[in-house]
Amino acid sequence: MGFGELGAQGIEGGRALAQSLDERVFDDVEWRRSDEERLDQALAYLTKKKSAAAALHARGITADAHLLAAWRSKTRTPDAEQQQLVQQAFRDLRRRNIAPYLTRLFNADGGTQIEIHPVNQKAVDARHRRNLRIRRKNIWRWNPVIAAWARQDSPEMEHLWQDLMSEMDSGHRSYHYVRHIGILG
């Protein structure tokens, strides 16, 4: 029987951890920003960084400094597809650039704790529900996790998640899929 066949709802733990890292880095006040403001933020970041051209090129955008400046000053406007690619290039570059800082921050003082919220079982028949609780776990060495997140390497994030969960007690398999992971600290 596969995950979700009885009605449980959640996502893979590695993906949830990557989403939490994304929220930490990108969504600080994003819920208050319009699409235009997010584009301005991305363009401002990309015009300041030396490796921006490579990040843009990797996403298929052949924009030089003049075009970025025109987009930023709003004398020209990128189409919807270009805007999406600019956002992706921004996120790619930001992940790479912030990874060393996050690694130092989360490794400091003996690691950083995460809070693991189990899957949502509201749709599961009562006789099939498991007694799962919110768990906390300290991650001592974030280096491989942050490196895989920065590369957006989903299979590696899942592998690392399985390793982290195997360090827990015998109920660790119940946390292969989760509802959410919070990073404490």
Side-chain angles (χ1 to χ4, degrees):
M1 186 169 297
F3 175 75
E5 289 183 16
L6 297 175
Q9 298 174 344
I11 61 173
E12 296 91 352
R15 191 167 128 206
L17 186 54
Q19 285 179 352
S20 292
L21 288 164
D22 278 350
E23 288 170 11
R24 181 77 170 243
V25 172
F26 299 111
D27 296 344
D28 54 347
V29 292
E30 186 168 306
W31 60 273
R32 291 186 232 162
R33 294 185 187 158
S34 68
D35 289 342
E36 186 178 326
E37 289 171 322
R38 282 194 295 275
L39 180 61
D40 286 343
Q41 175 194 28
L43 289 170
Y45 188 83
L46 290 167
T47 55
K48 293 177 189 171
K49 302 299 176 184
K50 292 179 183 175
S51 50
L56 287 164
H57 183 70
R59 287 293 180 172
I61 297 178
T62 54
D64 59 10
H66 297 294
L67 182 57
L68 288 176
W71 284 349
R72 191 150 183 234
S73 67
K74 298 180 181 44
T75 57
R76 293 183 63 189
T77 305
D79 63 33
E81 183 181 346
Q82 288 173 321
Q83 289 182 30
Q84 186 70 21
L85 293 172
V86 165
Q87 286 291 340
Q88 291 170 353
F90 160 67
R91 286 176 169 256
D92 294 347
L93 186 56
R94 179 89 170 118
R95 276 186 190 92
R96 280 196 309 267
N97 289 344
I98 202 167
Y101 166 76
L102 285 179
T103 303
R104 284 190 309 275
L105 177 69
F106 291 161
N107 282 343
D109 300 322
T112 299
Q113 246 185 22
I114 60 172
E115 189 173 76
I116 308 161
H117 295 251
V119 295
N120 182 342
Q121 299 184 78
K122 288 181 183 176
V124 176
D125 189 37
R127 64 190 167 110
H128 293 293
R129 287 186 190 154
R130 292 181 173 190
N131 185 18
L132 301 176
R133 59 186 169 81
I134 294 174
R135 303 283 301 266
R136 286 190 175 192
K137 174 165 182 35
N138 194 56
I139 299 177
W140 304 99
R141 290 194 32 85
W142 282 84
N143 306 45
V145 173
I146 300 294
W149 167 78
R151 290 189 314 271
Q152 299 179 64
D153 186 343
S154 298
E156 182 63 12
M157 287 295 290
E158 273 314 303
H159 173 75
L160 292 167
W161 180 253
Q162 294 306 313
D163 284 351
L164 290 168
M165 290 301 94
S166 69
E167 297 169 2
M168 290 173 48
D169 61 21
S170 61
H172 67 87
R173 290 187 178 178
S174 299
Y175 295 90
H176 177 75
Y177 290 88
V178 300
R179 183 177 61 227
H180 174 74
I181 295 175
I183 299 173
L184 308 175

